[in-house]
Amino acid sequence: MALTTLEEHACFGGVQGFYEHASDAIGLPMRFGVYRPPQAAQGPVPVLYYLAGLTCNEQTFAIKAGAQRYAAQHGLMLVTPDTSPRNTGIPDAEKDWDFGVGAGFYLDATAQPYARHWRMESYLTDELPLVVGRNFAARPGAQGIFGHSMGGHGALTLALRHPGLYRSVSALAPICAPGEVPWGQKAFTGYLGADRARWAQHDAVRLIAGGARVPPLLVDQGLADQFLAQQLQPELLEAACAAAGQPLELRRHAGYDHGYFFVASFMADHLAHHARGLAG
């Protein structure tokens, strides 16, 4: 699990780095970012994984969200994986901005030709934590996860599908019910095929309705988000959590759209939420 260091930068008393390694799960090189807070120089610290949205990569969050300041305050390591495999040789993988490269949807594909390399769930839940643990001062058993848009979907579903793996969970403008919206339907058809029973296994609303649970959720949503009505549908997540007794704090914000100005505006709250969940 050797790492290639691509770049490192001093940042708020810690280090923001970007790295590449040969992934067994994906079968290709994968890149990811790590912010090491100043506390990591003294010993292991909790790890918070951030999953980015459509068209993003491992650098997007690190550059745009302003999270390192708060991670340094709380002593949290931030890990930012890429959103999908790249340079796969699949002709249509780069044809659409909302499917294929940059749009992995954080699942293991079962449909061809994507099943070989699109194994983001296995990569994120099994392989990447081992890579991080062996190369950085990560505290065992202290992991949280959050994300934005497609990455919010990934954070919710990975936490719901892997009980106990993450001690804290949150999302910003997540795709809440991907099986019911165009982005998710396109991705699920391409990665999983036409069987909607398989889709339900990667749909946060369906998973909660089916009995899956996670630690108390924090979700923020902008009311000026251009994707709110057609693609995100947080009201379905709200209804599912209420019916199931899953703790959820869903905050709606007038005037905020879907982009990183929105994400950065509520970053302090999300890192404080995770610091509480990962304390101890």
Side-chain angles (χ1 to χ4, degrees), residues 23 34 38 62 76 81 97 100 147 163 175 184 193 197 200-201 206-207 219-220 242 258 278:
S23 168
V34 175
L76 298 176
W97 69 273
I175 306 172
Q201 297 171 18
R206 296 296 184 93
L207 288 166
V219 175
D220 280 294
H258 194 69
L278 295 169

Side-chain angles (χ1 to χ4, degrees), residues 166-226:
Y166 304 105
R167 286 171 43 185
S168 59
V169 188
S170 73
L172 298 114
I175 306 172
C176 294
E180 306 300 323
V181 302
W183 278 344
Q185 291 168 352
K186 181 176 182 177
F188 286 176
T189 300
Y191 294 139
L192 303 174
D195 184 357
R196 284 182 172 264
R198 286 185 177 177
W199 296 13
Q201 297 171 18
H202 300 276
D203 184 307
V205 168
R206 296 296 184 93
L207 288 166
I208 291 168
R213 299 290 182 268
V214 291
L217 293 173
L218 172 64
V219 175
D220 280 294
Q221 176 62 60
L223 293 180
D225 191 318
Q226 63 270 42

